């Protein structure tokens, strides 16, 4: 799915020095030196003096090898390359671009980058946040009404309430920020709103903020946070609210303690007029799990709750279950959050409780904006309501995914592939020619390594092709038997988890598309076949 906030990534491909040397990104100086010496024996111009053409080709590849070696063997250059790529190594940041693009293309790219930079700065400075909540009452669908003559009245779906919140930050100084926020809500035809100005200042330890609110009643508040030690910090706040001519005091204090690397404990006290409570919270958050237990004792309600979230990062999915029991009744929830694009996610939660009944809550998050739709399905716990609240979102999601999301993602992927091909057309032609030259220069090394491996009954690459993964014909695949055999050392071949197109003697025959490497090899007089995806690692012979 397209995102309005999604920055266009630069589709110009860059040199991968690590892959060209066939070393991991964590390679030691010794590994880099060894790889350099190995390839120097193949590409050094002095080893190709028989023909002028070969010597020129060798000089080009040897210069590329020297550049990769000089960058990776210098800690300072290597750090810059790891962070910013090839362009980060240029003094003015445009030298590489100047060599590859026309003046018009350079100006267009500069203007595009400048615009993106301004948009990012504005986004960071204002930090806009907001949400829209639309409450929907659909209880008549599953619990129909009848008139005085016992005739069924056609069920209606009504919007029971709407609320909107929006805020932006306005930095004044490095330490001072003013936040402007507003809210509007309407419940059963009765509306109200509020506008809040918050001034926040960063202190040497912690921060402090002052709130001024105008709406149903003016309010003045102070809040802040301060670390007490490396593992303990305190939050505090207080204020006065004018309601119906009376001043209502509010107070909040919270003490948090880091219990372990992933676990935090909170003890809080809240006072707002006649409502007061004290709570204890234990929260654990890891890469795969999130767990929280809360015990709250107060007036008018006391409850205990627990929530558990399982994070399936490989599927960009979160599954959540929660329960809450107290003097108000009980509430059970289960739901899922699915990321559907870079900046967008969809959340569906089913709530079952007494006295609330059954509610389906759908939430769409797009960047910093949220759109929430609580759909009240039943006043009581009805199996049919639970069933439809669970099944309907799943069915709708899969239908929308199949008919809308997947076609849009595929269209976006194809556009990116075409753009990448267009931007890199000349470079790919050059890389193809360079790969052919490299294979030609490897012929002597290939013959020597193959002879040594044959004598020791070692690793012989019989046939290796690289290219489009789902291509039945060979039009988008090419033979890499020679360069792959030249990477064999002492009957071992190791390829790291990077795109193979930057390996010596390789090039990308189908930019932007899924590729693999197919190998038929012989080891200890036994023949094997293996297929490895483009960005996967490979170790031959296999275990």
């Amino acid at each position: 799915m397209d995102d309005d906030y999604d920055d266009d990534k630069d589709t110009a491909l860059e040199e991968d020095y690590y892959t060209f040397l066939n070393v991991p990104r964590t390679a030691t100086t010794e590994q880099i030196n060894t790889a350099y010496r190995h390839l120097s024996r193949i590409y050094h111009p002095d080893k190709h003096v028989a023909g002028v053409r070969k010597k020129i080709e060798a000089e080009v590849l040897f210069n590329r090898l020297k550049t990769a070696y000089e960058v990776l063997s210098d800690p300072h250059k290597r750090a810059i390359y790891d962070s910013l790529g090839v362009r980060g190594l240029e003094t003015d940041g445009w030298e590489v671009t100047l060599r590859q693009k026309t003046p018009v293309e350079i100006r267009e790219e500069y203007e595009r980058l400048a615009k993106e930079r301004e948009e990012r700065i504005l986004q960071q400075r204002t930090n806009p946040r907001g949400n829209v909540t639309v409450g929907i009452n659909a209880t008549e669908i599953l619990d129909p009404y009848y008139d005085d003559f016992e005739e069924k009245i056609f069920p209606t779906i009504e919007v029971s309430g709407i609320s909107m919140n929006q805020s932006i930050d306005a930095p004044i100084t490095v330490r001072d920020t003013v936040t402007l926020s507003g809210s509007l809500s309407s419940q059963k035809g009765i509306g109200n709103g509020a506008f809040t100005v918050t001034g926040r200042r960063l202190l040497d330890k912690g921060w402090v903020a002052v709130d001024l609110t105008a709406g149903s009643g003016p309010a003045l508040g102070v809040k802040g946070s301060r670390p007490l030690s490396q593992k303990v910090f305190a939050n505090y706040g207080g204020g006065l609210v004018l309601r119906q001519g009376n001043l209502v005091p509010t107070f909040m204090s919270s003490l948090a303690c880091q219990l372990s690397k992933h676990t935090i404990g909170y003890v809080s006290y809240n006072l707002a007029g006649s409502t007061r409570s004290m709570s204890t919270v234990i929260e654990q958050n890891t890469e795969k799990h999130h767990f929280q237990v809360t015990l709250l004792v107060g007036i008018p309600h006391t409850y205990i709750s627990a929530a558990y979230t399982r994070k399936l990062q490989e599927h960009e999915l979160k599954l959540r279950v929660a329960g809450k029991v107290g003097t108000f009744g009980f509430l059970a929830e289960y739901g899922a959050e699915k990321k559907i694009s870079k900046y967008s996610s969809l959340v569906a939660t089913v709530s079952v409780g007494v006295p609330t009944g059954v509610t389906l809550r759908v939430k769409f998050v797009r960047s910093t904006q949220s759109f929430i739709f609580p759909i009240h399905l039943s006043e009581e716990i009805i199996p049919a309501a639970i069933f439809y609240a669970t099944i309907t979102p799943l069915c709708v999601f899969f239908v929308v995914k199949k008919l809308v999301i997947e076609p849009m993602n595929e269209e976006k992927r194809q556009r990116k592939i075409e753009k990448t091909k267009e931007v890199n057309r000349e470079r790919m032609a050059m890389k193809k020619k360079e790969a052919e030259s490299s294979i030609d220069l490897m012929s002597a090394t290939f013959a020597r390594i193959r002879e040594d491996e044959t004598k020791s009954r070692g690793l012989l690459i019989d046939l290796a092709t690289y290219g489009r993964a789902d291509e039945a014909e060979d039009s988008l695949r090419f033979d890499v038997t020679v360069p792959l055999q030249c990477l064999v050392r002492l009957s071992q071949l190791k390829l790291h988890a990077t795109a193979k197109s930057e390996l010596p003697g390789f090039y990308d025959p189908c930019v932007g598309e899924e590729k693999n490497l197919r190998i038929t090899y012989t080891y200890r007089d036994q023949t094997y076949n293996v297929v490895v995806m483009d960005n996967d690692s490979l170790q031959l012979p296999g275990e």
Side-chain angles (χ1 to χ4, degrees), residues 144-154:
Y145 287 95
Y146 295 85
D147 61 16
D148 294 337
F149 300 98
E150 297 297 320
E151 292 185 2
K152 185 176 179 180
I153 299 175
F154 190 78

Side-chain angles (χ1 to χ4, degrees), residues 199-220:
R200 174 172 168 149
R201 181 176 180 81
L202 293 177
L203 307 175
D204 293 334
K205 290 185 177 181
W207 56 270
V208 65
V210 177
D211 295 335
L212 181 60
T213 301
S216 55
L220 177 66

Side-chain angles (χ1 to χ4, degrees), residues 252-365:
M252 179 278 294
S253 66
S254 176
L255 192 67
C257 179
Q258 187 84 36
L259 303 176
S260 67
K261 181 180 179 181
H262 301 290
T263 307
I264 299 179
Y266 300 88
V267 177
S268 304
Y269 177 76
N270 288 274
L271 169 67
S274 60
T275 302
R276 59 197 66 192
S277 65
M278 189 165 187
S279 63
T280 301
V281 179
I282 302 294
E283 181 179 7
Q284 185 179 73
N285 194 6
T286 67
E287 291 184 358
K288 294 185 177 181
H289 309 277
H290 180 269
F291 181 69
Q292 180 176 307
V293 177
T294 302
L295 173 62
L296 182 143
V297 179
I299 300 173
H301 292 299
T302 296
Y303 66 82
I304 183 170
S305 67
Y308 173 77
T309 301
R310 178 74 167 93
K311 305 174 186 177
L312 304 174
Q313 295 183 355
E314 63 276 15
H315 301 293
E316 297 182 323
L317 178 68
K318 295 179 182 178
L319 301 176
R320 181 178 182 272
V321 293
K324 187 175 181 181
V325 179
T327 54
F328 68 92
F330 80 89
L331 182 69
E333 292 184 347
Y334 57 92
E337 177 180 346
K338 173 66 176 175
K339 189 173 182 181
I340 56 178
S341 69
K342 184 176 180 180
Y343 295 106
S344 302
S345 60
L346 188 63
V347 185
T349 304
V350 179
S351 300
V352 180
V354 174
T356 55
V358 181
T359 300
L360 169 62
R361 189 171 183 265
V362 179
K363 179 179 179 182
F364 177 64
V365 181

Side-chain angles (χ1 to χ4, degrees), residues 170-214:
I172 306 301
T173 66
V174 175
R175 288 176 172 264
D176 300 308
T177 302
V178 173
T179 300
L180 307 176
S181 59
S183 64
L184 291 172
S185 65
S186 174
Q187 300 291 330
K188 296 181 179 180
I190 301 176
N192 59 68
F195 179 75
T196 301
V197 179
T198 302
R200 174 172 168 149
R201 181 176 180 81
L202 293 177
L203 307 175
D204 293 334
K205 290 185 177 181
W207 56 270
V208 65
V210 177
D211 295 335
L212 181 60
T213 301

